[in-house]
Amino acid sequence: MSNVAKIELDGTVYEFPVVVGSENEKAIDISKLRDTTGYVTLDTGYKNTGATTSKITFLDGEEGILRYRGYPIEQLAEKASFLEVAYLLIYGELPTQAQLDEFKTSIQKHTLVHEDMKQFFEAYPAKAHPMGVLSSMICSLSTFYPESLDPNRSAEAKNLTIHRLLAKLPTLAAWSYKNAMRHPFMYPRNEFDYCKNFLYMMFAMPTEDYNVDPVVVEALNKLLILHADHEQKSTVRIVGSSQANLYATISAGISALWGPLHGGANQEVIEMLEKIHQDGGDVDKWVAKAKDKEDPFRLMGFGHRVYKNFDPRAKIIKKACDDILSKLGINDPMLEIAKKLEKVALEDEYFKARNLYPNVDFYSGIIYKALGIPTEMFTVMFALGRLPGWIAQWKEMTENKEPIGRPRQIYTGETPRDYVEISKR
Ligand code: CMC
């Protein structure tokens, strides 16, 4: 294998180093391209651009592989707890029991949010989308912890911010739902584990006892693990590279996740399935709509920028969906429609030719629905799961002292021209 790439430009041959990752992925290191040749690369949507080297998550879209710090997602989803996975992503190794206990205790200490923040909720309309509320609330945390604005503070102080975020995001997420319902906020219960505490804050009422079903806790644990990281969806790294504080950086990650082509797809999927159901359940008609280039409709929950064979998370979620619905004794017609839709699409030439398979969002909404989570909260659940991955990406980037992220462009606008007085235009 060659360890240099040769590029000929305007009659001169330039050599650039080839970088090889631990899983034998190869990249041409073009960091000196502009300095040496005057050229830049053009790659709209970054389909071929490696933004960094990273030790966190390995993803092979052709083989359908996803590993966090080397551990297969299938094993983690089956055996680990969400906080164990969060520790693994952020600190690089699975924790010992003592390390996990210390991590949990530290997070539990910070689950409350400042009482003044409760007033912010009151200012939002009842119909406010919880993703809008959550991203603003997370950014607002920076105003209560102004020391987090100092990019040069100690590693210990940065770690405290990490623990605060892990502790407070579930509280703020659950409260954004309570606010939409105009229900009283439930304070965190620190004797509960992470997932149980979140469900308690979402669904309990001060007027009566609330028993969290262990099947629901286990299902949530699995879903959060499956969402915990997905390598380079680079918003967090780009924003963090400007040395913006961690709260603002994570808030930007939440905003980027919200879009229907990304994490917002889980809400879109269930709304699509409900529409198909109300329309009589004719899946062929909807598959035809998705193929029609004149029709903006896309089959939500299908296709992925990186997975071109299958999404390993979707495989786990499909099985979990069957298990959880049967354990909870739920018979949801949406599941039948989803399965029919998947079958028709997978046998269709259009989808086969474009390698379009169900992604993580295709079945996750059906599980969230079975757990009693309202549709508008689905993307918030994704954010709750993705938080440790975002933190890990930010931590790695800042520790590696990566430069500010700032892509170039090829300008295609007007060449210089003189200002024309308004009366003459
Ligand atoms: N339904 C119908 N056609 C599709 C779909 C779909 N869901 N996805 C892609 N295509 C077609 C697209 O029209 C294009 O066709 P053509 O080559 O004829 O122009 C071709 O497939 C390639 O699509 P693309 O948009 O260039 O592919 P991409 O890699 O840029 O986009 C995607 C990936 C996820 C944005 C896209 O597949 C999509 O819009 N899917 C639906 C939304 C969705 O489920 N998003 C959640 C992604 S998983 C969560 C996460 O990790 O973010």
Side-chain angles (χ1 to χ4, degrees), residues 51-158:
T52 188
T53 57
S54 176
K55 292 183 165 54
I56 303 169
T57 291
F58 173 67
L59 198 166
D60 182 332
E62 279 69 37
E63 298 298 323
I65 293 172
L66 176 62
R67 296 186 203 124
Y68 300 159
R69 303 279 188 187
Y71 295 101
I73 189 66
E74 292 79 5
Q75 290 181 21
L76 294 170
E78 184 65 33
K79 299 184 177 158
S81 73
F82 177 62
L83 277 194
E84 236 183 314
V85 171
Y87 187 100
L88 170 71
L89 285 166
I90 296 168
Y91 301 109
E93 293 297 337
L94 282 170
T96 61
Q97 189 62 54
Q99 286 168 329
L100 183 61
D101 291 345
E102 198 186 329
F103 186 51
K104 274 188 193 165
T105 310
S106 171
I107 290 171
Q108 280 164 347
K109 263 192 223 153
H110 299 287
T111 50
L112 278 176
V113 294
H114 198 287
E115 280 293 297
D116 288 353
M117 286 195 89
K118 278 167 65 183
Q119 294 169 28
F120 300 172
F121 281 102
E122 285 162 22
Y124 288 107
K127 289 206 173 348
H129 195 289
M131 282 296 276
V133 176
L134 186 67
S135 66
S136 320
M137 286 290 179
I138 293 298
C139 201
S140 303
L141 283 172
S142 62
T143 63
F144 290 88
Y145 304 103
E147 68 283 2
S148 67
L149 271 57
D150 174 8
N152 300 317
R153 67 203 193 286
S154 68
E156 205 184 14
K158 285 183 184 167

Side-chain angles (χ1 to χ4, degrees), residues 390-410:
W390 283 329
I391 293 173
Q393 298 288 342
W394 170 86
K395 187 166 174 282
E396 183 179 71
M397 189 239 355
T398 50
E399 286 172 0
N400 288 350
K401 299 194 175 13
E402 287 182 17
I404 187 162
R406 204 305 192 174
R408 294 265 177 178
Q409 64 166 19
I410 297 297

Side-chain angles (χ1 to χ4, degrees), residues 45 47 227 230 233 257 259-266 268-269 287 289-293 297-308 311 313 350-351 354-357 359-362 382 386:
K47 293 192 181 193
H227 283 117
H230 213 227
K233 183 78 185 73
L257 184 75
L261 298 188
H262 190 13
N266 56 13
E268 300 277 333
V269 169
V287 168
K289 258 170 87 59
K291 295 188 317 185
D292 180 357
K293 295 288 173 203
F297 173 74
R298 280 191 166 197
L299 212 50
M300 298 313 284
F302 258 78
H304 198 277
R305 166 58 62 80
V306 189
Y307 295 119
K308 298 299 176 195
D311 180 339
R313 304 167 299 173
Y350 173 98
F351 289 85
R354 290 168 180 77
N355 298 313
L356 301 171
Y357 296 85
N359 59 47
V360 67
D361 292 324
F362 193 64
F382 196 149
R386 184 55 57 86

Side-chain angles (χ1 to χ4, degrees), residues 265-294:
N266 56 13
Q267 175 176 341
E268 300 277 333
V269 169
I270 209 83
E271 287 171 358
M272 172 187 79
L273 295 175
E274 276 162 1
K275 237 188 248 168
I276 298 175
H277 181 56
Q278 283 157 14
D279 190 44
D282 181 356
V283 293
D284 292 309
K285 175 180 153 190
W286 289 81
V287 168
K289 258 170 87 59
K291 295 188 317 185
D292 180 357
K293 295 288 173 203
E294 301 303 311

Side-chain angles (χ1 to χ4, degrees), residues 206-217:
T207 41
E208 47 196 72
D209 286 341
Y210 176 73
N211 292 317
V212 190
D213 185 338
V215 173
V216 175
V217 176

Side-chain angles (χ1 to χ4, degrees), residues 242-261:
S242 75
Q243 299 191 346
N245 68 81
L246 184 57
Y247 300 112
T249 303
I250 299 298
S251 167
I254 294 171
S255 299
L257 184 75
W258 193 358
L261 298 188

